[in-house]
Amino acid sequence: MALKMFQAQIKLLRFLFLLIVIYGEVEHVYGVWPMPQQITQSTERYLLNPRVFALSYANDSMAQSGCSVLDVAFKRYFKLIFPDFAHGTGRDKSLRFGNTLRFYGELYVASIQQKYLNSISCSVKLGLESFSQLVYQDDSSAYFVNKTEIEDYPRFQFRGLLLDTSRHYLPVNSILSTLDAMAYSKFNVFHWHIVDDPSFPYQSSTYPDLSNKGAFHPMTHIYTQSDVRRVIAHARLRGIRVLPEFDSPGHTLSWGKGQPDFLTPCYKGDVPSGSFGPLNPTLSSSYQFMSDLFKEVTSVFHDSHVHLGGDEVDFTCWKSNPKVQAFMAKMGFGSDYTKLESYYMENILNITAALNKISIVWQDVFDYHEHIPKDTVLEIWRGTPAEIRAELGRITLAGHRVLLSAPWYLNHISYGQDWRNAYTVQPQNFSGTEQQKELVIGGEVCMWGEYVDATNLVSRLWPRACAAAERLWSNEKKTSSVERAFPRLKDFRCTLVRYCVLTIAEC
């Protein structure tokens, strides 16, 4: 249902810029990143006077004053568009002359119900971002915009960015700055890989010992409930969803520090070795704990989806444990430990389904032939290009929606312009029907934290992530040339630098 609604929306989405302006001419045309679906520009230009310029709601727009997303966006973008006049509000209703930019959601708004007003606001906010990139200054510091017509909508509904805050703790301000840059690049999902083996920084109200004993530091390296609400609120005002990931049954070593009898004891021969492996899937207490934790998580994170992980489970410890062996025999699993992981994941999927959440899992869950609900979204994170194409075909043939992240692991770096590799990815280039290809709902860039912290996060992400942003937003045929993209990317990098400087100054 959500996919059909999205498809209907993108057919109707239109950005209409109406300007009452002072006319001039110059041969200068500015680009937009990501590239709009349709853009027509002229060398005609219009002078913008920040002292009398206003951003306002169109009279016949469903979104009006009081819409928090747009009210805040008008003020924020006025400061970005006119950095020399940052004291302006962008919403001076008393103006009767000068420049006025009115935002319409015209056909899009007309087709939508009141309960989807936030989606409308986010779409109009994306039009604001496009407009802000078109404004420039001449040598005399006057502001101009060229005559431009844009028709735009995203190619994919899911355009995500993953941050790993377990391997290295990222301060909240680093996350907020990343959300700002995501909004400028038209990403719309923040995938928060909040916990993992190295640390458990999420401060749970239900199980406070998880962070008390599992975080790098129980006071300075945690995300409180207030921190999480701050991140979600900041993201919402920028049209970004926050998707939490609590990966299990692997990647849970830090959990065991604050939750007794949670991890599987490893054995050396007939005696415990003193080390531990993944979550113990043979105990009913494990499922009660996970049920309680996800009740809390889904009440804190309000997105309709939750990421359950399910990747890279090392079976060595399970194989060594005599109680796990006995459970395997009892269940008739033989020596196939993928069946044990399947048993666990199916139970966890049932828990989140009972909480009315749609689950996203890594591709391993599908590869182990697990019985998973049809609405479960699979994410492809590994493989050669040929293996990725084959996996896309298999998953979509089974009727599952799929996300692609394998080509966009930006924590992997190489010398030179490696953004070119990310730019040339073709998410729907695999053997399958058109119906199968429509099940590819998007993808995300991933910034894993083994060698990334707040000191190098920005330089690793930007502008490299912008390549994937354009691939997920724009028409693939119109953006197939790396050489034609490079000048626009250079200009957009300068825009990001200017925007980030403003953000830091405001903080």
PDB file of all heavy atoms in Angstrom, residues 180-215:
ATOM      1  N   ASP A 180      22.018  17.606   8.645  1.00  0.00           N
ATOM      2  CA  ASP A 180      21.953  18.824   7.833  1.00  0.00           C
ATOM      3  C   ASP A 180      22.457  18.546   6.424  1.00  0.00           C
ATOM      4  O   ASP A 180      21.810  18.907   5.431  1.00  0.00           O
ATOM      5  CB  ASP A 180      22.787  19.935   8.469  1.00  0.00           C
ATOM      6  CG  ASP A 180      22.190  20.471   9.754  1.00  0.00           C
ATOM      7  OD1 ASP A 180      20.975  20.275   9.968  1.00  0.00           O
ATOM      8  OD2 ASP A 180      22.932  21.077  10.541  1.00  0.00           O
ATOM      9  N   ALA A 181      23.637  17.922   6.325  1.00  0.00           N
ATOM     10  CA  ALA A 181      24.214  17.630   5.017  1.00  0.00           C
ATOM     11  C   ALA A 181      23.350  16.652   4.239  1.00  0.00           C
ATOM     12  O   ALA A 181      23.234  16.742   3.013  1.00  0.00           O
ATOM     13  CB  ALA A 181      25.627  17.085   5.182  1.00  0.00           C
ATOM     14  N   MET A 182      22.723  15.707   4.930  1.00  0.00           N
ATOM     15  CA  MET A 182      21.804  14.784   4.267  1.00  0.00           C
ATOM     16  C   MET A 182      20.649  15.530   3.625  1.00  0.00           C
ATOM     17  O   MET A 182      20.256  15.246   2.485  1.00  0.00           O
ATOM     18  CB  MET A 182      21.257  13.776   5.274  1.00  0.00           C
ATOM     19  CG  MET A 182      22.245  12.712   5.715  1.00  0.00           C
ATOM     20  SD  MET A 182      21.555  11.646   7.016  1.00  0.00           S
ATOM     21  CE  MET A 182      20.178  10.882   6.134  1.00  0.00           C
ATOM     22  N   ALA A 183      20.087  16.496   4.350  1.00  0.00           N
ATOM     23  CA  ALA A 183      18.962  17.261   3.821  1.00  0.00           C
ATOM     24  C   ALA A 183      19.373  18.036   2.571  1.00  0.00           C
ATOM     25  O   ALA A 183      18.615  18.106   1.591  1.00  0.00           O
ATOM     26  CB  ALA A 183      18.426  18.216   4.881  1.00  0.00           C
ATOM     27  N   TYR A 184      20.559  18.635   2.588  1.00  0.00           N
ATOM     28  CA  TYR A 184      21.028  19.376   1.421  1.00  0.00           C
ATOM     29  C   TYR A 184      21.163  18.466   0.205  1.00  0.00           C
ATOM     30  O   TYR A 184      20.994  18.904  -0.933  1.00  0.00           O
ATOM     31  CB  TYR A 184      22.382  20.035   1.715  1.00  0.00           C
ATOM     32  CG  TYR A 184      22.405  20.924   2.933  1.00  0.00           C
ATOM     33  CD1 TYR A 184      23.541  21.018   3.730  1.00  0.00           C
ATOM     34  CD2 TYR A 184      21.287  21.666   3.308  1.00  0.00           C
ATOM     35  CE1 TYR A 184      23.573  21.823   4.855  1.00  0.00           C
ATOM     36  CE2 TYR A 184      21.302  22.469   4.431  1.00  0.00           C
ATOM     37  CZ  TYR A 184      22.449  22.542   5.207  1.00  0.00           C
ATOM     38  OH  TYR A 184      22.475  23.339   6.329  1.00  0.00           O
ATOM     39  N   SER A 185      21.478  17.174   0.457  1.00  0.00           N
ATOM     40  CA  SER A 185      21.690  16.211  -0.628  1.00  0.00           C
ATOM     41  C   SER A 185      20.435  15.404  -0.945  1.00  0.00           C
ATOM     42  O   SER A 185      20.473  14.494  -1.770  1.00  0.00           O
ATOM     43  CB  SER A 185      22.826  15.252  -0.254  1.00  0.00           C
ATOM     44  OG  SER A 185      24.001  15.958   0.088  1.00  0.00           O
ATOM     45  N   LYS A 186      19.337  15.702  -0.252  1.00  0.00           N
ATOM     46  CA  LYS A 186      18.048  15.051  -0.450  1.00  0.00           C
ATOM     47  C   LYS A 186      18.039  13.580  -0.038  1.00  0.00           C
ATOM     48  O   LYS A 186      17.271  12.779  -0.574  1.00  0.00           O
ATOM     49  CB  LYS A 186      17.532  15.234  -1.882  1.00  0.00           C
ATOM     50  CG  LYS A 186      17.246  16.684  -2.264  1.00  0.00           C
ATOM     51  CD  LYS A 186      16.543  16.778  -3.619  1.00  0.00           C
ATOM     52  CE  LYS A 186      16.139  18.208  -3.941  1.00  0.00           C
ATOM     53  NZ  LYS A 186      17.252  19.076  -4.291  1.00  0.00           N
ATOM     54  N   PHE A 187      18.897  13.190   0.916  1.00  0.00           N
ATOM     55  CA  PHE A 187      18.712  11.917   1.596  1.00  0.00           C
ATOM     56  C   PHE A 187      17.509  12.038   2.523  1.00  0.00           C
ATOM     57  O   PHE A 187      17.252  13.107   3.074  1.00  0.00           O
ATOM     58  CB  PHE A 187      19.947  11.565   2.435  1.00  0.00           C
ATOM     59  CG  PHE A 187      21.136  11.084   1.641  1.00  0.00           C
ATOM     60  CD1 PHE A 187      22.254  11.889   1.481  1.00  0.00           C
ATOM     61  CD2 PHE A 187      21.130   9.828   1.069  1.00  0.00           C
ATOM     62  CE1 PHE A 187      23.355  11.447   0.776  1.00  0.00           C
ATOM     63  CE2 PHE A 187      22.224   9.370   0.348  1.00  0.00           C
ATOM     64  CZ  PHE A 187      23.344  10.184   0.200  1.00  0.00           C
ATOM     65  N   ASN A 188      16.805  10.937   2.738  1.00  0.00           N
ATOM     66  CA  ASN A 188      15.604  11.041   3.566  1.00  0.00           C
ATOM     67  C   ASN A 188      15.486   9.983   4.659  1.00  0.00           C
ATOM     68  O   ASN A 188      14.462   9.912   5.345  1.00  0.00           O
ATOM     69  CB  ASN A 188      14.341  11.030   2.696  1.00  0.00           C
ATOM     70  CG  ASN A 188      14.077   9.665   2.064  1.00  0.00           C
ATOM     71  OD1 ASN A 188      14.982   8.848   1.913  1.00  0.00           O
ATOM     72  ND2 ASN A 188      12.838   9.417   1.677  1.00  0.00           N
ATOM     73  N   VAL A 189      16.511   9.136   4.835  1.00  0.00           N
ATOM     74  CA  VAL A 189      16.476   8.137   5.903  1.00  0.00           C
ATOM     75  C   VAL A 189      17.835   8.114   6.608  1.00  0.00           C
ATOM     76  O   VAL A 189      18.874   7.899   5.972  1.00  0.00           O
ATOM     77  CB  VAL A 189      16.167   6.717   5.370  1.00  0.00           C
ATOM     78  CG1 VAL A 189      16.133   5.721   6.529  1.00  0.00           C
ATOM     79  CG2 VAL A 189      14.849   6.694   4.615  1.00  0.00           C
ATOM     80  N   PHE A 190      17.821   8.349   7.908  1.00  0.00           N
ATOM     81  CA  PHE A 190      19.017   8.179   8.728  1.00  0.00           C
ATOM     82  C   PHE A 190      18.946   6.810   9.378  1.00  0.00           C
ATOM     83  O   PHE A 190      18.128   6.562  10.257  1.00  0.00           O
ATOM     84  CB  PHE A 190      19.114   9.272   9.786  1.00  0.00           C
ATOM     85  CG  PHE A 190      20.184   9.035  10.831  1.00  0.00           C
ATOM     86  CD1 PHE A 190      21.435   8.576  10.467  1.00  0.00           C
ATOM     87  CD2 PHE A 190      19.926   9.273  12.179  1.00  0.00           C
ATOM     88  CE1 PHE A 190      22.409   8.334  11.424  1.00  0.00           C
ATOM     89  CE2 PHE A 190      20.898   9.052  13.142  1.00  0.00           C
ATOM     90  CZ  PHE A 190      22.145   8.570  12.763  1.00  0.00           C
ATOM     91  N   HIS A 191      19.794   5.908   8.928  1.00  0.00           N
ATOM     92  CA  HIS A 191      19.877   4.553   9.477  1.00  0.00           C
ATOM     93  C   HIS A 191      20.881   4.597  10.623  1.00  0.00           C
ATOM     94  O   HIS A 191      22.081   4.694  10.411  1.00  0.00           O
ATOM     95  CB  HIS A 191      20.330   3.597   8.360  1.00  0.00           C
ATOM     96  CG  HIS A 191      20.506   2.174   8.798  1.00  0.00           C
ATOM     97  ND1 HIS A 191      20.745   1.157   7.883  1.00  0.00           N
ATOM     98  CD2 HIS A 191      20.500   1.570  10.021  1.00  0.00           C
ATOM     99  CE1 HIS A 191      20.882   0.016   8.533  1.00  0.00           C
ATOM    100  NE2 HIS A 191      20.744   0.250   9.833  1.00  0.00           N
ATOM    101  N   TRP A 192      20.366   4.519  11.830  1.00  0.00           N
ATOM    102  CA  TRP A 192      21.202   4.663  13.032  1.00  0.00           C
ATOM    103  C   TRP A 192      21.588   3.283  13.538  1.00  0.00           C
ATOM    104  O   TRP A 192      20.840   2.629  14.275  1.00  0.00           O
ATOM    105  CB  TRP A 192      20.448   5.438  14.097  1.00  0.00           C
ATOM    106  CG  TRP A 192      21.324   5.967  15.203  1.00  0.00           C
ATOM    107  CD1 TRP A 192      22.634   5.641  15.459  1.00  0.00           C
ATOM    108  CD2 TRP A 192      20.952   6.908  16.213  1.00  0.00           C
ATOM    109  NE1 TRP A 192      23.093   6.324  16.552  1.00  0.00           N
ATOM    110  CE2 TRP A 192      22.082   7.110  17.041  1.00  0.00           C
ATOM    111  CE3 TRP A 192      19.782   7.608  16.499  1.00  0.00           C
ATOM    112  CZ2 TRP A 192      22.063   7.978  18.136  1.00  0.00           C
ATOM    113  CZ3 TRP A 192      19.759   8.468  17.590  1.00  0.00           C
ATOM    114  CH2 TRP A 192      20.887   8.652  18.384  1.00  0.00           C
ATOM    115  N   HIS A 193      22.796   2.837  13.150  1.00  0.00           N
ATOM    116  CA  HIS A 193      23.353   1.588  13.666  1.00  0.00           C
ATOM    117  C   HIS A 193      23.935   1.918  15.029  1.00  0.00           C
ATOM    118  O   HIS A 193      25.122   2.151  15.188  1.00  0.00           O
ATOM    119  CB  HIS A 193      24.421   1.061  12.694  1.00  0.00           C
ATOM    120  CG  HIS A 193      24.904  -0.315  13.018  1.00  0.00           C
ATOM    121  ND1 HIS A 193      24.286  -1.452  12.555  1.00  0.00           N
ATOM    122  CD2 HIS A 193      25.942  -0.746  13.776  1.00  0.00           C
ATOM    123  CE1 HIS A 193      24.927  -2.521  13.003  1.00  0.00           C
ATOM    124  NE2 HIS A 193      25.944  -2.116  13.752  1.00  0.00           N
ATOM    125  N   ILE A 194      23.077   1.911  16.011  1.00  0.00           N
ATOM    126  CA  ILE A 194      23.373   2.582  17.272  1.00  0.00           C
ATOM    127  C   ILE A 194      24.206   1.722  18.226  1.00  0.00           C
ATOM    128  O   ILE A 194      24.962   2.242  19.053  1.00  0.00           O
ATOM    129  CB  ILE A 194      22.045   3.042  17.932  1.00  0.00           C
ATOM    130  CG1 ILE A 194      22.302   4.016  19.089  1.00  0.00           C
ATOM    131  CG2 ILE A 194      21.198   1.874  18.355  1.00  0.00           C
ATOM    132  CD1 ILE A 194      21.024   4.718  19.562  1.00  0.00           C
ATOM    133  N   VAL A 195      24.080   0.382  18.137  1.00  0.00           N
ATOM    134  CA  VAL A 195      24.820  -0.513  19.035  1.00  0.00           C
ATOM    135  C   VAL A 195      25.444  -1.647  18.226  1.00  0.00           C
ATOM    136  O   VAL A 195      24.993  -1.968  17.120  1.00  0.00           O
ATOM    137  CB  VAL A 195      23.902  -1.093  20.134  1.00  0.00           C
ATOM    138  CG1 VAL A 195      23.325   0.015  21.002  1.00  0.00           C
ATOM    139  CG2 VAL A 195      22.769  -1.913  19.518  1.00  0.00           C
ATOM    140  N   ASP A 196      26.476  -2.266  18.802  1.00  0.00           N
ATOM    141  CA  ASP A 196      27.158  -3.380  18.129  1.00  0.00           C
ATOM    142  C   ASP A 196      28.069  -4.051  19.151  1.00  0.00           C
ATOM    143  O   ASP A 196      27.989  -3.765  20.352  1.00  0.00           O
ATOM    144  CB  ASP A 196      27.952  -2.886  16.913  1.00  0.00           C
ATOM    145  CG  ASP A 196      28.115  -3.957  15.837  1.00  0.00           C
ATOM    146  OD1 ASP A 196      28.771  -4.978  16.129  1.00  0.00           O
ATOM    147  OD2 ASP A 196      27.601  -3.780  14.715  1.00  0.00           O
ATOM    148  N   ASP A 197      28.971  -4.924  18.683  1.00  0.00           N
ATOM    149  CA  ASP A 197      29.894  -5.623  19.582  1.00  0.00           C
ATOM    150  C   ASP A 197      30.705  -4.698  20.485  1.00  0.00           C
ATOM    151  O   ASP A 197      30.799  -4.927  21.693  1.00  0.00           O
ATOM    152  CB  ASP A 197      30.857  -6.501  18.772  1.00  0.00           C
ATOM    153  CG  ASP A 197      30.229  -7.805  18.304  1.00  0.00           C
ATOM    154  OD1 ASP A 197      29.312  -8.301  18.987  1.00  0.00           O
ATOM    155  OD2 ASP A 197      30.672  -8.330  17.269  1.00  0.00           O
ATOM    156  N   PRO A 198      31.316  -3.634  19.946  1.00  0.00           N
ATOM    157  CA  PRO A 198      32.242  -2.850  20.780  1.00  0.00           C
ATOM    158  C   PRO A 198      31.579  -2.093  21.924  1.00  0.00           C
ATOM    159  O   PRO A 198      32.156  -1.983  23.004  1.00  0.00           O
ATOM    160  CB  PRO A 198      32.893  -1.885  19.770  1.00  0.00           C
ATOM    161  CG  PRO A 198      32.735  -2.548  18.449  1.00  0.00           C
ATOM    162  CD  PRO A 198      31.412  -3.242  18.529  1.00  0.00           C
ATOM    163  N   SER A 199      30.390  -1.530  21.690  1.00  0.00           N
ATOM    164  CA  SER A 199      29.769  -0.743  22.758  1.00  0.00           C
ATOM    165  C   SER A 199      28.263  -0.671  22.580  1.00  0.00           C
ATOM    166  O   SER A 199      27.734  -0.881  21.478  1.00  0.00           O
ATOM    167  CB  SER A 199      30.349   0.686  22.793  1.00  0.00           C
ATOM    168  OG  SER A 199      29.873   1.450  21.707  1.00  0.00           O
ATOM    169  N   PHE A 200      27.580  -0.375  23.689  1.00  0.00           N
ATOM    170  CA  PHE A 200      26.125  -0.228  23.709  1.00  0.00           C
ATOM    171  C   PHE A 200      25.802   1.166  24.255  1.00  0.00           C
ATOM    172  O   PHE A 200      25.492   1.345  25.435  1.00  0.00           O
ATOM    173  CB  PHE A 200      25.489  -1.305  24.596  1.00  0.00           C
ATOM    174  CG  PHE A 200      24.018  -1.503  24.358  1.00  0.00           C
ATOM    175  CD1 PHE A 200      23.554  -2.599  23.658  1.00  0.00           C
ATOM    176  CD2 PHE A 200      23.089  -0.580  24.839  1.00  0.00           C
ATOM    177  CE1 PHE A 200      22.188  -2.789  23.451  1.00  0.00           C
ATOM    178  CE2 PHE A 200      21.737  -0.750  24.629  1.00  0.00           C
ATOM    179  CZ  PHE A 200      21.283  -1.867  23.929  1.00  0.00           C
ATOM    180  N   PRO A 201      25.872   2.204  23.396  1.00  0.00           N
ATOM    181  CA  PRO A 201      25.686   3.571  23.878  1.00  0.00           C
ATOM    182  C   PRO A 201      24.234   3.995  24.081  1.00  0.00           C
ATOM    183  O   PRO A 201      23.986   5.052  24.668  1.00  0.00           O
ATOM    184  CB  PRO A 201      26.348   4.416  22.796  1.00  0.00           C
ATOM    185  CG  PRO A 201      26.212   3.604  21.557  1.00  0.00           C
ATOM    186  CD  PRO A 201      26.300   2.174  21.990  1.00  0.00           C
ATOM    187  N   TYR A 202      23.264   3.220  23.583  1.00  0.00           N
ATOM    188  CA  TYR A 202      21.855   3.586  23.773  1.00  0.00           C
ATOM    189  C   TYR A 202      21.469   3.373  25.233  1.00  0.00           C
ATOM    190  O   TYR A 202      21.608   2.272  25.774  1.00  0.00           O
ATOM    191  CB  TYR A 202      20.954   2.751  22.866  1.00  0.00           C
ATOM    192  CG  TYR A 202      19.484   2.907  23.162  1.00  0.00           C
ATOM    193  CD1 TYR A 202      18.801   4.069  22.795  1.00  0.00           C
ATOM    194  CD2 TYR A 202      18.774   1.915  23.831  1.00  0.00           C
ATOM    195  CE1 TYR A 202      17.452   4.222  23.071  1.00  0.00           C
ATOM    196  CE2 TYR A 202      17.430   2.051  24.105  1.00  0.00           C
ATOM    197  CZ  TYR A 202      16.764   3.216  23.727  1.00  0.00           C
ATOM    198  OH  TYR A 202      15.422   3.365  24.019  1.00  0.00           O
ATOM    199  N   GLN A 203      20.972   4.420  25.884  1.00  0.00           N
ATOM    200  CA  GLN A 203      20.579   4.332  27.290  1.00  0.00           C
ATOM    201  C   GLN A 203      19.124   3.867  27.370  1.00  0.00           C
ATOM    202  O   GLN A 203      18.186   4.627  27.135  1.00  0.00           O
ATOM    203  CB  GLN A 203      20.738   5.687  27.985  1.00  0.00           C
ATOM    204  CG  GLN A 203      20.553   5.624  29.487  1.00  0.00           C
ATOM    205  CD  GLN A 203      20.745   6.972  30.146  1.00  0.00           C
ATOM    206  OE1 GLN A 203      20.027   7.934  29.856  1.00  0.00           O
ATOM    207  NE2 GLN A 203      21.725   7.073  31.036  1.00  0.00           N
ATOM    208  N   SER A 204      18.963   2.616  27.715  1.00  0.00           N
ATOM    209  CA  SER A 204      17.634   2.016  27.801  1.00  0.00           C
ATOM    210  C   SER A 204      17.018   2.313  29.157  1.00  0.00           C
ATOM    211  O   SER A 204      17.659   2.152  30.198  1.00  0.00           O
ATOM    212  CB  SER A 204      17.732   0.501  27.593  1.00  0.00           C
ATOM    213  OG  SER A 204      16.523  -0.142  27.937  1.00  0.00           O
ATOM    214  N   SER A 205      15.759   2.723  29.155  1.00  0.00           N
ATOM    215  CA  SER A 205      15.051   2.937  30.417  1.00  0.00           C
ATOM    216  C   SER A 205      14.605   1.606  31.026  1.00  0.00           C
ATOM    217  O   SER A 205      14.445   1.495  32.240  1.00  0.00           O
ATOM    218  CB  SER A 205      13.834   3.846  30.191  1.00  0.00           C
ATOM    219  OG  SER A 205      12.953   3.272  29.237  1.00  0.00           O
ATOM    220  N   THR A 206      14.430   0.605  30.170  1.00  0.00           N
ATOM    221  CA  THR A 206      14.008  -0.712  30.644  1.00  0.00           C
ATOM    222  C   THR A 206      15.176  -1.512  31.194  1.00  0.00           C
ATOM    223  O   THR A 206      15.054  -2.203  32.218  1.00  0.00           O
ATOM    224  CB  THR A 206      13.345  -1.495  29.496  1.00  0.00           C
ATOM    225  OG1 THR A 206      12.320  -0.698  28.898  1.00  0.00           O
ATOM    226  CG2 THR A 206      12.729  -2.799  30.011  1.00  0.00           C
ATOM    227  N   TYR A 207      16.318  -1.419  30.527  1.00  0.00           N
ATOM    228  CA  TYR A 207      17.512  -2.154  30.937  1.00  0.00           C
ATOM    229  C   TYR A 207      18.695  -1.187  31.004  1.00  0.00           C
ATOM    230  O   TYR A 207      19.566  -1.176  30.135  1.00  0.00           O
ATOM    231  CB  TYR A 207      17.813  -3.281  29.945  1.00  0.00           C
ATOM    232  CG  TYR A 207      16.764  -4.368  29.895  1.00  0.00           C
ATOM    233  CD1 TYR A 207      15.822  -4.415  28.862  1.00  0.00           C
ATOM    234  CD2 TYR A 207      16.712  -5.353  30.880  1.00  0.00           C
ATOM    235  CE1 TYR A 207      14.863  -5.421  28.817  1.00  0.00           C
ATOM    236  CE2 TYR A 207      15.751  -6.360  30.842  1.00  0.00           C
ATOM    237  CZ  TYR A 207      14.832  -6.384  29.811  1.00  0.00           C
ATOM    238  OH  TYR A 207      13.882  -7.381  29.772  1.00  0.00           O
ATOM    239  N   PRO A 208      18.750  -0.363  32.046  1.00  0.00           N
ATOM    240  CA  PRO A 208      19.800   0.658  32.119  1.00  0.00           C
ATOM    241  C   PRO A 208      21.219   0.096  32.181  1.00  0.00           C
ATOM    242  O   PRO A 208      22.172   0.783  31.783  1.00  0.00           O
ATOM    243  CB  PRO A 208      19.459   1.435  33.401  1.00  0.00           C
ATOM    244  CG  PRO A 208      18.577   0.528  34.188  1.00  0.00           C
ATOM    245  CD  PRO A 208      17.818  -0.281  33.190  1.00  0.00           C
ATOM    246  N   ASP A 209      21.389  -1.142  32.638  1.00  0.00           N
ATOM    247  CA  ASP A 209      22.740  -1.709  32.724  1.00  0.00           C
ATOM    248  C   ASP A 209      23.352  -1.974  31.349  1.00  0.00           C
ATOM    249  O   ASP A 209      24.564  -2.167  31.245  1.00  0.00           O
ATOM    250  CB  ASP A 209      22.729  -3.009  33.540  1.00  0.00           C
ATOM    251  CG  ASP A 209      22.849  -2.757  35.035  1.00  0.00           C
ATOM    252  OD1 ASP A 209      23.121  -1.592  35.415  1.00  0.00           O
ATOM    253  OD2 ASP A 209      22.659  -3.698  35.813  1.00  0.00           O
ATOM    254  N   LEU A 210      22.528  -2.001  30.305  1.00  0.00           N
ATOM    255  CA  LEU A 210      23.076  -2.211  28.962  1.00  0.00           C
ATOM    256  C   LEU A 210      24.087  -1.128  28.603  1.00  0.00           C
ATOM    257  O   LEU A 210      25.168  -1.419  28.077  1.00  0.00           O
ATOM    258  CB  LEU A 210      21.946  -2.240  27.922  1.00  0.00           C
ATOM    259  CG  LEU A 210      21.044  -3.471  27.952  1.00  0.00           C
ATOM    260  CD1 LEU A 210      19.851  -3.278  27.022  1.00  0.00           C
ATOM    261  CD2 LEU A 210      21.823  -4.730  27.581  1.00  0.00           C
ATOM    262  N   SER A 211      23.754   0.118  28.899  1.00  0.00           N
ATOM    263  CA  SER A 211      24.712   1.202  28.642  1.00  0.00           C
ATOM    264  C   SER A 211      25.618   1.452  29.845  1.00  0.00           C
ATOM    265  O   SER A 211      26.781   1.840  29.672  1.00  0.00           O
ATOM    266  CB  SER A 211      23.982   2.493  28.262  1.00  0.00           C
ATOM    267  OG  SER A 211      23.123   2.924  29.302  1.00  0.00           O
ATOM    268  N   ASN A 212      25.113   1.225  31.060  1.00  0.00           N
ATOM    269  CA  ASN A 212      25.950   1.422  32.247  1.00  0.00           C
ATOM    270  C   ASN A 212      27.206   0.562  32.189  1.00  0.00           C
ATOM    271  O   ASN A 212      28.296   0.985  32.609  1.00  0.00           O
ATOM    272  CB  ASN A 212      25.167   1.089  33.519  1.00  0.00           C
ATOM    273  CG  ASN A 212      24.141   2.155  33.864  1.00  0.00           C
ATOM    274  OD1 ASN A 212      24.233   3.292  33.395  1.00  0.00           O
ATOM    275  ND2 ASN A 212      23.165   1.800  34.677  1.00  0.00           N
ATOM    276  N   LYS A 213      27.039  -0.659  31.664  1.00  0.00           N
ATOM    277  CA  LYS A 213      28.163  -1.593  31.615  1.00  0.00           C
ATOM    278  C   LYS A 213      28.671  -1.837  30.188  1.00  0.00           C
ATOM    279  O   LYS A 213      29.798  -2.327  30.016  1.00  0.00           O
ATOM    280  CB  LYS A 213      27.763  -2.921  32.254  1.00  0.00           C
ATOM    281  CG  LYS A 213      27.396  -2.785  33.721  1.00  0.00           C
ATOM    282  CD  LYS A 213      26.987  -4.115  34.324  1.00  0.00           C
ATOM    283  CE  LYS A 213      26.634  -3.962  35.808  1.00  0.00           C
ATOM    284  NZ  LYS A 213      26.236  -5.259  36.414  1.00  0.00           N
ATOM    285  N   GLY A 214      27.858  -1.500  29.200  1.00  0.00           N
ATOM    286  CA  GLY A 214      28.237  -1.825  27.827  1.00  0.00           C
ATOM    287  C   GLY A 214      28.752  -0.670  27.005  1.00  0.00           C
ATOM    288  O   GLY A 214      29.343  -0.875  25.938  1.00  0.00           O
ATOM    289  N   ALA A 215      28.537   0.577  27.462  1.00  0.00           N
ATOM    290  CA  ALA A 215      29.048   1.738  26.732  1.00  0.00           C
ATOM    291  C   ALA A 215      30.528   1.927  27.024  1.00  0.00           C
ATOM    292  O   ALA A 215      31.057   1.418  28.014  1.00  0.00           O
ATOM    293  CB  ALA A 215      28.272   2.992  27.122  1.00  0.00           C
TER     294      ALA A 215
END
